[in-house]
């Protein structure tokens, strides 16, 4: 196994939402609180970003060639080349302190995205103010969960019959029965519980992805690691240390999807922490893991 830094300290706040863009062989990600959407070209090693006004919780490509972003509480389209933003729909008008957080597309191209209240500092916020929503290709919205504190990682099982979902503050990974045809969810249950007394060693579950064997890779915020879990048993199978304590998310990428890309943040870090983790705010690539991921789905709308 090898861990390399592909972009050193590029994120000034919270690097988040890595998403492989297959059409350009590029990595998309955001500097969440800074409102920046990045694209890193794996073939040239060059990167650029678009500066937006507000927070950006996620970025995913669409079938129309542009990008879909969660800008504050608004789902919007972004033309990366022109920097033009076109709002689609705003949600939770009665919760002005809320914002979008993580988002990802299901196997047929529906967008799932969750919300949370803006934090006063990392993991400090009003609880159970967020929700989990989906948007179909006509932008019709459906609610899947309410009373969520920090809506985070999303992944679908290999047979597309299960949706895995993280709420970071209960420190749990949930599963829902999933109907791919209708986009309906049901039968919410806990499949991974970080458990009491493990905050110092495990931190908080944040973003996640799934590999070709159906195992979940969960980024551990304040844990400085990505952990591979078996969602069937809830057991930890492997830990990958990351040179950023505030590890936020991960995704598979590269021509063969055998490279794990990992983001982290630096907001809220003490001087002591930054001395110990000088790469905080960087983006990393992990290779040689002996397992691969699957190509991500773009938004079909």
């Amino acid at each position: 196994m090898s861990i390399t830094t592909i972009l050193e300290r590029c994120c000034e706040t919270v690097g988040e939402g890595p998403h492989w863009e297959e059409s350009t062989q590029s990595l998309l990600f955001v500097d969440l609180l800074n409102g920046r959407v990045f694209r890193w070209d794996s073939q040239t090693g060059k990167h650029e970003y678009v500066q937006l006004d507000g927070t950006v919780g996620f970025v995913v490509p669409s079938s129309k060639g542009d990008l879909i972003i969660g800008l504050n509480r608004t789902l919007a389209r972004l033309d990366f080349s022109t920097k033009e933003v076109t709002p689609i729909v705003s949600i939770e008008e009665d919760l002005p302190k809320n914002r979008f957080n993580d988002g990802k597309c299901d196997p047929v191209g529906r967008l799932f995205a969750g919300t949370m209240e803006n934090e006063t500092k990392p993991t400090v916020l009003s609880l159970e103010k967020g929700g989990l929503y989906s948007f179909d290709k006509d932008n019709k919205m459906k609610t899947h969960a309410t009373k969520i504190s920090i809506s985070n990682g999303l992944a679908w099982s290999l047979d597309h019959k299960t949706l895995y979902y993280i709420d970071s503050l209960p420190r749990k990974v949930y599963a829902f029965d999933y109907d791919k045809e209708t986009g309906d969810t049901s039968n919410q249950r806990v499949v991974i519980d970080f458990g009491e007394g493990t905050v110092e060693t495990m931190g908080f579950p944040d973003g996640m992805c799934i590999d070709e064997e159906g195992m979940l890779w969960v980024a551990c915020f304040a844990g400085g690691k990505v952990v591979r879990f078996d969602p069937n048993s809830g057991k930890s199978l492997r830990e990958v240390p990351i040179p950023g304590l505030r590890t936020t998310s991960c995704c598979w990428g590269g021509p063969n999807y055998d490279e794990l890309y990992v983001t982290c943040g630096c907001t809220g870090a003490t001087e002591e922490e930054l001395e110990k983790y000088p790469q905080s705010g960087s983006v990393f690539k992990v290779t040689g893991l002996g397992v691969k991921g699957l190509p991500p789905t773009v938004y079909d709308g």
Side-chain angles (χ1 to χ4, degrees), residues 4-72:
T4 57
T5 304
I6 63 166
L7 287 173
E8 189 172 5
R9 294 190 293 274
C10 56
C11 295
E12 298 174 0
T13 64
V14 184
E16 260 284 13
H19 195 292
W20 189 256
E21 187 176 42
E22 190 168 41
S23 62
T24 63
Q25 289 296 292
S26 297
L27 182 72
L28 303 170
F29 62 97
V30 302
D31 189 356
L32 195 154
L33 300 179
N34 248 5
R36 292 176 179 174
V37 179
F38 284 81
R39 176 184 274 142
W40 173 78
D41 188 324
S42 68
Q43 297 167 318
T44 66
K46 296 181 179 179
H47 75 281
E48 52 187 335
Y49 66 82
V50 174
Q51 178 69 62
L52 301 173
D53 184 17
T55 60
V56 185
F58 65 86
V59 54
V60 298
S62 89
S63 58
K64 295 181 179 178
D66 58 357
L67 304 175
I68 305 298
I69 58 173
L71 180 62
N72 301 313

Side-chain angles (χ1 to χ4, degrees), residues 1 3 9 17 28 34-35 44 83 87 100 109 151 155 157 165 212-213 220 243 262 269 271 289 293:
M1 184 188 74
I3 302 175
R9 294 190 293 274
L28 303 170
N34 248 5
T44 66
K83 304 181 181 181
F100 273 115
S151 185
S157 62
Y165 172 61
E212 63 180 356
E213 298 176 357
C220 298
V262 183
E271 289 186 13
L289 289 168

Side-chain angles (χ1 to χ4, degrees), residues 14 16 30 32-33 54-58 70-74 91-92 95-102 113-123 125 129-131 133 149-152:
V14 184
E16 260 284 13
V30 302
L32 195 154
L33 300 179
T55 60
V56 185
F58 65 86
L71 180 62
N72 301 313
R73 286 182 294 106
T74 298
I91 67 171
E92 298 183 338
L95 296 168
K97 293 182 180 180
N98 275 20
R99 63 166 175 82
F100 273 115
N101 205 40
D102 211 349
T115 58
M116 58 179 284
E117 185 179 272
N118 272 304
E119 298 159 292
T120 54
K121 58 182 181 179
T123 71
L125 71 166
K129 294 291 186 180
Y133 309 95
S149 293
I150 299 183
S151 185
N152 250 315

Side-chain angles (χ1 to χ4, degrees), residues 239-257:
E239 295 189 0
V240 178
I242 300 299
L245 183 66
R246 295 164 191 263
T247 310
T248 55
S249 193
C250 53
C251 77
W252 296 101
N256 300 313
Y257 289 97

